[in-house]
Amino acid sequence: MKKILRFIIVPILVLALFGFTLTNAGEKTSIAFKKQFTKVEIETVLQDSLLNIRAIELVKGLDGIAFLTSRGEFGAIGPKDAFEAVRSVGLDQSENYDIVFPIALKYDSITPNFRALSANKKHGYGISIGSPALIYKLNIDEEKIKIVYKEEHPKAFYDSMEFWNDDEGIAIGDPTEDCMSIIITRDGGNTWSKLSCDDLPKAKEGEAAFAASDTNIAIVGDQTWVATGGKSSRILYSADKGKTWSVFETPIVQGLETTGMYSVDFYDENHGFAIGGDYTKPADSSANKVRTKDGGKTWELVAENQSPGYRSCVKYVPNGAGKKLVAIGFKGIDYSGDSGDSWTHLSDEGFYTIRFLNDSIAYAAGRGRISKLTFKE
């Protein structure tokens, strides 16, 4: 276990030593968009047939990412020589990258299945699905690496997590009672508390969430939007970092366990976009894309019966004035330059999740690989 723990902290240690921090993807600026994407170049950085990755996070200042896998593995990717200081701990190098992988995480005999990863400036956190649900806190001090939250319940299944700031963070999951599961930290991740259903909107029958891309939660300032899915697909909204909640209906396809919103993103406090559909019918585009212009209070269907069909992740492009969007899924990569009214199919290459490094470069992960995507005119 001691050797495993030493490996776990390596990427975090390096980031701390050099002032790097994990950061939320897609930091927005006010620069108006000009260029439109017409193609994407895909460079595979890490490839392994056993990889299954839905949880990635940008590493600020490193031009790289940290990631967690469904097999309880942790890793980090950075430019070549980024991890020079810890070359003795199983570092792999390609022509352009340093790769620390695999780093095994265990809990007793359990191999955690990770679907979500987030961080504040000091620590990274990963949450596993299933019971027991576990949140791992990583620290540069080996003795301080620990599990900071454990929930044993036959219905426990956490889908996504994010931080508002260095002290406050949130993770969301499927209902274990009659509301969505929401846990919150107010002390930098040291402790997490589950909200009572008395303080949350009641879940509808069959309402849950999808652990498809770790993008069920969108945060702008203190405001938070949570996308649910399944037989009912709605937006849970908090204006005060999870202290109070309301709920908004959406017109996205719903009614089955496999339908609804799989991903939501907000460009600013008013403009948001969500995508999903039914992964068992990936070509169906009848009602799988919705947009809001009033902070999530109301949503409208866009690009009905137009590709793309089912997609597991959508992100606003930084510096895109809230008009440029990229959606990805196991059936490919698509781009919109007009707020989602129309879309261009850029590639058949499949991924689960994506994070933008800047307004033309992103990292994407999925089954079997992590790739660097460069979008071009």
Side-chain angles (χ1 to χ4, degrees):
M1 183 64 179
K2 193 173 184 65
K3 182 178 180 182
I4 292 173
L5 291 178
R6 181 169 63 87
F7 282 1
I8 293 170
I9 66 171
V10 165
I12 304 303
L13 172 60
V14 174
L15 305 184
L17 286 174
F18 292 94
F20 302 134
T21 59
L22 296 176
T23 183
N24 291 330
E27 292 183 349
K28 316 299 190 297
T29 76
S30 60
I31 301 173
F33 81 104
K34 293 181 180 179
K35 300 177 181 179
Q36 299 295 328
F37 300 149
T38 61
K39 59 183 178 180
V40 59
E41 294 182 356
I42 300 173
E43 175 189 5
T44 298
V45 180
L46 177 64
Q47 190 165 21
D48 185 323
S49 62
L50 298 179
L51 281 178
N52 188 342
I53 302 172
R54 299 177 187 269
I56 61 177
E57 196 74 65
L58 292 180
V59 180
K60 189 174 184 179
L62 185 64
D63 291 346
I65 60 167
F67 60 94
L68 292 165
T69 79
S70 64
R71 293 165 54 90
E73 298 158 325
F74 179 74
I77 295 172
K80 194 170 184 179
D81 297 326
F83 302 128
E84 180 69 29
V86 288
R87 188 161 303 284
S88 62
V89 293
L91 176 68
D92 291 328
Q93 279 192 315
S94 64
E95 181 178 352
N96 298 313
Y97 301 95
D98 276 2
I99 302 171
V100 180
F101 180 79
I103 301 161
L105 292 170
K106 295 280 187 179
Y107 174 74
D108 292 335
S109 61
I110 297 171
T111 297
N113 183 338
F114 290 107
R115 302 291 182 91
L117 168 66
S118 191
N120 54 27
K121 288 184 178 179
K122 294 181 180 180
H123 305 286
Y125 297 84
I127 189 168
S128 63
I129 62 172
S131 181
L134 304 168
I135 294 182
Y136 286 78
K137 176 185 177 182
L138 307 178
N139 192 290
I140 61 172
D141 183 346
E142 181 174 331
E143 298 303 320
K144 294 181 180 179
I145 297 174
K146 60 182 179 179
I147 291 171
V148 293
Y149 181 79
K150 178 182 176 183
E151 181 179 337
E152 296 191 66
H153 192 286
K155 295 182 180 179
F157 197 104
Y158 281 87
D159 308 281
S160 189
M161 67 188 308
E162 290 291 345
F163 274 80
W164 290 289
N165 52 50
D166 289 343
D167 295 320
E168 298 169 294
I170 179 174
I172 67 100
D174 295 352
T176 56
E177 299 178 42
D178 59 352
C179 66
M180 294 293 293
S181 294
I182 296 181
I183 56 176
I184 288 178
T185 180
R186 305 287 185 190
D187 61 2
N190 292 310
T191 61
W192 297 74
S193 299
K194 189 169 184 177
L195 298 185
S196 167
C197 284
D198 293 339
D199 300 320
L200 290 168
K202 301 302 181 186
K204 292 187 175 182
E205 182 181 357
E207 184 176 20
F210 297 110
S213 62
D214 191 17
T215 52
N216 309 74
I217 304 170
I219 288 175
V220 177
D222 293 347
Q223 299 185 75
T224 310
W225 299 265
V226 172
T228 70
K231 294 183 179 180
S232 181
S233 187
R234 305 184 293 171
I235 292 289
L236 275 61
Y237 171 73
S238 173
D240 51 13
K241 294 181 291 187
K243 296 180 178 68
T244 61
W245 292 87
S246 54
V247 63
F248 305 126
E249 301 290 336
T250 76
I252 202 163
V253 60
Q254 49 200 286
L256 302 174
E257 292 182 352
T258 53
T259 56
M261 291 178 287
Y262 281 69
S263 177
V264 64
D265 195 22
F266 269 73
Y267 189 81
D268 55 32
E269 63 182 12
N270 292 315
H271 297 88
F273 199 92
I275 201 165
D278 185 342
Y279 81 89
T280 67
K281 302 175 182 177
D284 188 352
S285 59
S286 58
N288 72 316
K289 299 173 285 292
V290 293
R291 179 177 63 202
T292 182
K293 298 178 182 178
D294 59 6
K297 296 179 180 64
T298 62
W299 296 77
E300 61 177 334
L301 289 169
V302 295
E304 291 185 78
N305 301 308
Q306 299 178 38
S307 294
Y310 165 79
R311 294 292 183 265
S312 56
C313 186
V314 66
K315 283 292 179 182
Y316 280 101
V317 179
N319 306 333
K323 295 184 179 295
K324 299 173 74 171
L325 292 152
V326 170
I328 66 172
F330 64 81
K331 288 295 185 178
I333 305 169
D334 298 86
Y335 165 74
S336 174
D338 55 11
S339 304
D341 286 327
S342 63
W343 294 79
T344 300
H345 187 64
L346 300 181
S347 174
D348 290 333
E349 298 289 338
F351 295 94
Y352 296 145
T353 192
I354 186 172
R355 301 294 185 276
F356 273 92
L357 185 64
N358 54 42
D359 58 12
S360 61
I361 297 174
Y363 283 95
R367 182 172 294 280
R369 61 179 169 166
I370 296 174
S371 298
K372 186 176 183 180
L373 277 52
T374 302
F375 293 88
K376 295 189 173 183
E377 293 181 87

